[in-house]
Amino acid sequence: MKLHQTFLLGLSLAGTVQLVSCNSKTSNENQTMKTEQEIERESTDVHSFARPTEAVTKHLDLDIDVNFDQKVISGRATYQIENLAQADQIVFDTRGLEIEKVFLGDSLTETAFRLGSEEKFLGQPLLVDITPSTKSVTIQYRTTPEAAALQWLSPQQTAGKKHPFLFTQSQAILARTWIPIQDSPGIRITYSANVKVPKELMAVMSAENPQQKNSTGEYRFFMRQPIPSYLMALSVGDLVFAPIGEKTGIYAEPATIKEATYEFAEMDQMLTAAEKLYGRYRWDRYDLLVLPPSFPFGGMENPRLTFVTPTVLAKDRSLTSLIAHELAHSWSGNLVTNGTWNDFWLNEGFTVYFERRIMEELYGKDYADMLQVLGYQDLQHTLEDMEKKDDTRLKLDLEGRDPDEGLTEIAYEKGNAFLLNVEKTVGRERFDQFLNKYFQTFAFKSTNTDRFLEFLRTELIKGDEKLAEQINIEGWVYSPGLPEEHVKPSSTRFAQVEEAFKSWQSGTPAASLVTKDWSSHEWLHFIRLLPDELSQQQLAELDKAFGFTRSGNSEVLAAWFLHAIRHNYTTADQAIDTFLTTVGRRKFLVPLYRELLKTPAGKKKALAIYAKARPNYHAVSTGTIDEMVK
Ligand code: BES
Ligand code: ZN
């Protein structure tokens, strides 16, 4: 199938050549210089052993048992397959799995299998003997306690403190650590699952979910829309459900549900706004699962059930753009999926753009502008800090590396900046029409950078050379850094923050600044404006006036703690310790540990805290921090 699509792409690219053949320096020309092999290479997933053009999975029936005592998931994964090339083998991805037996067909005839040699990051291929007429393959397996996707939490690590908890994190290539699977975002499957858990707990998945605990501990799930493997998700815990709207609701521990329903009360409006922008929501329901604080990400867009960190529970709905982001993935990512991790910007860049459009619909342009400016600041820092300049291109080359390395602000904020540039060039109306068509055309398909750009050329540029030049595909997608002509966002609300800041710098006491009605975004901007040189007195003054160290807003805390560490403001030590030992969100942990590690005294603190905190972190976070403290 992949081959076929590549071939089509090659043909249509050739068509484009003639149109622009007289123009010597367009991005189109650059495209035409790609050989068939290069195009083929770019659509192949270097992070999967699967060979989907030969034999590919279409549907999964998962039948598993979740054992909290042993910290093991065990059972069977039965795949409906398509043998496209009369292949005598089908290849799955595994990492750290124990494969016990493999069977073929409804008769469950045992078949031979072999695990290939282990490769760094990728794990081992599972090669299963099949025949040209094989319709299904059943793999009996068990996970090991080290499975990187899984975090097994003790009761102490939960909000309720009474029951254990489990959650998975499959993106980017961790699904293979808890299910033997063709673990490539270019391959989609539907699934059903039978999941057996301890009777006092409830299971939820990225699928049709129960809304109540049952007495048997056995749960049945269906995902009827085809999804890529990185969206396979499971969580088990003492969960309750609370509805928000008709099609929306929240799962959380009983101790958290009330706060969560207040915080996310607007999810229904978000869904309405999103549908208005880019078309019907295709996944029936949209629910949230609020996880314990060790969840390594802010949010994860598992279809029908976004997983979300409790660090967005700020009590004032100030951090809900994260929900808009994960919801937006229901289009950009889950519906139209990056075909390989080199095309990750197609997921995240589009989602950031879409997220801010949703926020603009709900809260107005002033609000969305603040998000744009904060994102632009993040992008500038990333561009300054990144050592590998090639990784500042949108289209990445992650061969031989962990796809995690592509998880930078480049995909998010440079991706968004590129789309803002296209929007500005063609106007919002035309761009929205284009995006609508894009989501419709590629719905339930995986795509890649080349295919998207081809669509951009045929649907938007349409041979207009001046437009092609303005859009500057080559500069944005294939070149490092940020093209000169990018949109520089500005914010009127932040202009007021800058006024206040200047006034403080020229002597107005912090307590007299006019900060009424500031949201956490304004505070974040204010804290980011603080200079490298700050006296203890100044820090104390700010802290006294604004209560930063005691803030209930995780973004404000994380930004403030950076200054506290940098200036050895010991008043915040205890709060930093508490934050680092309870929160497992990597985005917060990494900058704080990095700052601590800069001085010998800080390093001592960091190591002491990490020794305590490490058991509370998910493998995704320890993987990064282990490297930093080494
Ligand atoms: N899909 C990502 C999280 C992710 C990406 C996990 C790659 C593993 C590999 C999710 O949508 C995301 O972007 N989360 C952000 C929040 C967002 C508001 C920028 C996060 O977790 O910080
Ligand atoms: Zn995202």
Side-chain angles (χ1 to χ4, degrees), residues 579-596:
F579 188 83
L580 289 175
T581 42
T582 48
V583 174
R585 187 173 171 190
R586 187 169 62 175
K587 174 187 123 171
F588 291 147
L589 301 181
V590 168
L592 290 173
Y593 277 106
R594 188 189 296 130
E595 199 58 47
L596 280 168

Side-chain angles (χ1 to χ4, degrees), residues 301 325-326 329 347-348 351 412:
E301 66 273 26
H325 178 97
E326 304 311 336
H329 273 306
N347 273 18
E348 298 300 343
T351 298
Y412 290 79

